[in-house]
């Protein structure tokens, strides 16, 4: 029998991390001690009080059956409570909150709720690849908004052609940003609200990194902007905040019509997140938050060690105010891929080439602060020895 993939799969953009993955496997096979700064996955464990709640909840047979499609009332209430406490944003847990099986799930599914074939979506470049792919899977077309250093990695809305804005149904944005680590303030969010109103564009803000911030900086929510609840929503995740990437729990909040449409898509596709995970998620959101400060303290040390060290070696990188990513200019004479290959094959250090996140990421590599201080010192030592 001939098995033929759908056009949807056949037309996926080329997977640009393939070459680096291959080189990584090859180096491992050669027995090289690789230091992987390539993956945005916290290296530290989930705080113990959250794990204890999972253990308890997993033992309760009431949690062994199908959960509600859109989340337990108790979890959605905990999310609303957390938004009120953290951002002073008032949410109705029954209409303006939906539980997700990780925020990636919601990001991938939301285009199915709003995009018809031929509709456009505005997507940041560089950006988290799921924005583009989710839109394409729904039959929509993507128009990229370049995030440039000279604009502090904020999109230039005036540069979007009028005919594109006319056809655009939704826009993805993400601050604090992966991969550039840029942050956004209220003046940008205010601009976004008026732009959305003018063109009837639903704003989907991916806020996965609001809690991973340093030096006293507190990222804001898009929903804090006046009128934001009329035009958009926000994705959030417990993954990065509480070292829970493997648990698959996140949520979407905001405009009731938007959230309910996403819930409708989900109720036709999945059957909700494991209740025991949701109960542990409530403990995460409502429990002691000092674990966040502790982790941010560790990331701050790692950041300073890595960025100061890279600068001493003659590389250019900004110290991130938020996220655990360092966005580094590629030195003269290399493309992003060439420099990432150089570091991997010559120094055994894995960094992510910026062009893997989109064409506008060319000229940069991304390093994640996901190894301890000793390993960061080893990274710097190796790069110094190898040169570039
Ligand atoms: C890690 C990350 C997420 C979170 O994904 P989950 O599915 O919630 O684990 C979302 N957006 C961005 C930009 C990320 O880097």
């Amino acid at each position: 029998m001939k098995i033929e993939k759908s056009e949807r799969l056949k037309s996926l953009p080329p997977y640009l991390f393939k070459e680096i993955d291959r080189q990584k496997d090859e180096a491992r096979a050669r027995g090289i001690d690789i230091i992987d700064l390539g993956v945005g996955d916290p290296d530290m464990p989930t705080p113990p009080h959250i794990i204890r709640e999972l253990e308890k909840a997993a033992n309760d047979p009431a949690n062994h059956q199908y959960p509600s499609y859109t989340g337990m009332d108790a979890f959605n209430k905990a999310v609303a409570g957390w938004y009120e406490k953290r951002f002073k944003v008032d949410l109705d847990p029954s209409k303006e909150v939906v539980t997700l099986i990780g925020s990636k799930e919601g990001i991938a599914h939301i285009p199915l709720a709003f995009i018809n074939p031929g509709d456009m979506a505005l997507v940041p470049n560089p950006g988290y690849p799921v924005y583009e792919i989710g839109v394409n899977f729904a039959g929509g077309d993507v128009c990229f908004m370049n995030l440039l250093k000279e604009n502090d990695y904020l999109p230039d809305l005036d540069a979007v052609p009028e005919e594109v804005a006319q056809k655009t149904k939704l826009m993805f944005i993400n601050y604090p940003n992966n991969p550039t680590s840029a942050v956004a303030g209220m003046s940008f969010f205010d601009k976004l609200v008026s732009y959305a109103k003018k063109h009837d564009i639903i704003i989907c803000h991916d806020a996965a990194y609001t809690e991973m911030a340093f030096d006293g900086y507190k990222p804001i929510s898009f929903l804090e902007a006046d009128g934001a609840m009329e035009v958009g929503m926000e994705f959030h995740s417990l993954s990065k905040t509480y070292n829970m990437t493997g648990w698959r729990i996140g949520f979407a909040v905001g405009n009731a019509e938007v959230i309910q449409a996403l819930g409708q898509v989900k109720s036709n596709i999945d059957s909700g997140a494991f209740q025991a995970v949701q109960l542990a998620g409530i403990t995460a959101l409502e429990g002691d938050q000092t674990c966040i400060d502790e982790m941010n303290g560790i990331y701050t040390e790692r950041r300073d060690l890595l960025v100061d060290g890279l600068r001493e070696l003659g590389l250019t990188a900004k110290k991130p105010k938020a996220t655990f990513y360092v966005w580094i200019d590629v030195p003269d004479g290399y493309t992003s891929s060439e420099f990432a290959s150089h570091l991997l094959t010559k120094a055994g250090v894995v960094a992510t080439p910026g062009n893997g996140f989109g064409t506008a990421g060319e000229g940069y590599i991304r390093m994640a602060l996901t190894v301890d201080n000793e390993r960061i010192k080893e990274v710097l030592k190796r790069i110094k020895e190898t040169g570039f």
Side-chain angles (χ1 to χ4, degrees):
M1 178 183 114
K2 188 169 174 236
I3 295 187
E4 185 147 354
K5 284 189 191 172
S6 63
E7 291 309 317
R8 164 178 319 113
L9 286 190
K10 285 198 258 176
S11 63
L12 275 172
Y15 179 65
L16 289 162
F17 302 127
K18 204 154 116 190
E19 182 54 20
I20 209 91
D21 287 351
R22 194 189 61 75
Q23 288 172 359
K24 201 156 93 177
D25 292 343
E26 200 181 270
R28 274 216 181 96
R30 276 189 287 144
I32 292 178
D33 165 34
I34 285 186
I35 307 180
D36 196 343
L37 307 177
V39 190
D41 194 349
D43 58 309
M44 291 176 278
T46 308
H49 65 288
I50 301 172
I51 298 174
R52 277 196 300 271
E53 179 60 30
L54 175 74
E55 281 171 349
K56 199 175 104 206
N59 277 311
D60 181 353
N63 295 326
H64 297 171
Q65 292 182 294
Y66 284 123
S68 140
Y69 295 133
T70 52
M72 297 169 76
D73 291 344
F75 183 81
N76 292 349
K77 272 191 195 135
V79 167
W82 184 79
Y83 253 74
E84 165 58 35
K85 208 155 129 191
R86 173 64 179 85
F87 300 116
K88 300 270 167 295
V89 169
D90 184 28
L91 297 165
D92 177 345
S94 66
K95 297 192 182 77
E96 295 169 339
V97 182
V98 65
T99 304
L100 300 173
I101 309 172
S103 59
K104 182 179 184 181
E105 179 261 302
I107 293 167
H109 283 146
I110 200 163
L112 291 175
F114 299 106
I115 295 280
N116 289 315
D119 286 341
M120 293 287 260
L122 286 163
V123 167
N125 174 10
Y128 190 55
V130 192
Y131 310 137
E132 176 187 8
I133 289 166
V135 171
N136 288 340
F137 277 2
D141 297 316
V142 158
C143 178
F144 286 107
M145 306 180 289
N146 287 351
L147 308 184
L148 306 175
K149 186 188 252 179
E150 58 265 34
N151 300 329
D152 297 322
Y153 302 103
L154 296 172
D156 178 4
L157 300 175
D158 299 326
V160 177
E162 183 58 30
E163 67 272 19
V164 169
Q166 296 283 343
K167 283 195 279 184
T168 296
K169 281 294 288 287
L170 54 89
M171 181 197 294
F172 283 104
I173 47 152
N174 162 225
Y175 294 97
N177 184 258
N178 176 11
T180 68
S181 77
V183 297
M186 192 54 84
S187 63
F188 173 68
F189 287 156
D190 282 339
K191 255 190 244 167
L192 215 49
V193 171
S194 35
Y195 188 79
K197 282 187 179 166
K198 184 168 164 208
H199 298 287
D200 289 322
I201 295 172
I202 299 165
I203 304 294
C204 302
H205 181 227
D206 178 354
Y209 292 96
T210 58
E211 306 317 294
M212 201 185 267
F214 321 115
D215 309 328
Y217 173 68
K218 279 266 178 203
I220 56 172
S221 161
F222 170 62
L223 299 179
E224 290 178 64
D226 283 337
M229 285 291 285
E230 281 170 64
V231 302
M233 52 83 68
E234 196 152 77
F235 287 105
H236 229 292
S237 174
L238 281 75
S239 286
K240 310 296 166 44
T241 309
Y242 302 104
N243 300 339
M244 290 173 72
T245 50
W247 297 53
R248 312 315 302 135
I249 183 88
F251 49 91
V253 296
N255 182 280
E257 282 178 79
V258 175
I259 294 301
Q260 283 169 39
L262 175 58
Q264 202 180 347
V265 171
K266 283 177 56 58
S267 59
N268 284 285
I269 292 180
D270 65 62
S271 299
F274 182 26
Q275 289 200 160
V277 169
Q278 295 189 56
L279 290 165
I282 295 172
T283 297
L285 293 169
E286 292 182 344
D288 187 0
Q289 303 294 303
T290 51
C291 54
I292 299 180
D293 296 335
E294 283 165 18
M295 286 183 290
N296 286 340
I298 293 170
Y299 290 132
T300 305
E301 262 185 51
R302 293 178 179 180
R303 174 198 69 172
D304 292 346
L305 194 58
L306 182 66
V307 176
D308 291 343
L310 292 172
R311 286 177 180 165
E312 260 169 51
L313 297 175
L315 290 165
T316 306
K318 227 175 137 178
K319 275 194 186 174
K321 279 168 119 175
T323 79
F324 57 1
Y325 301 115
V326 179
W327 191 236
I328 303 156
D329 291 47
V330 166
D332 288 345
Y334 293 91
T335 63
S336 294
S337 300
E338 286 165 356
F339 192 53
S341 281
H342 174 78
L343 294 177
L344 175 50
T345 55
K346 302 284 178 6
V349 172
V350 181
T352 310
N355 63 313
F357 301 99
T359 50
E362 180 53 52
Y364 302 91
I365 57 163
R366 189 195 75 177
M367 287 185 179
L369 300 168
T370 49
V371 299
D372 64 23
N373 292 347
E374 286 316 304
R375 294 296 266 174
I376 289 176
K377 284 181 199 158
E378 174 68 18
V379 164
L380 295 165
K381 182 171 151 259
R382 290 192 197 173
I383 298 177
K384 186 171 181 184
E385 282 164 7
T386 309
F388 48 82

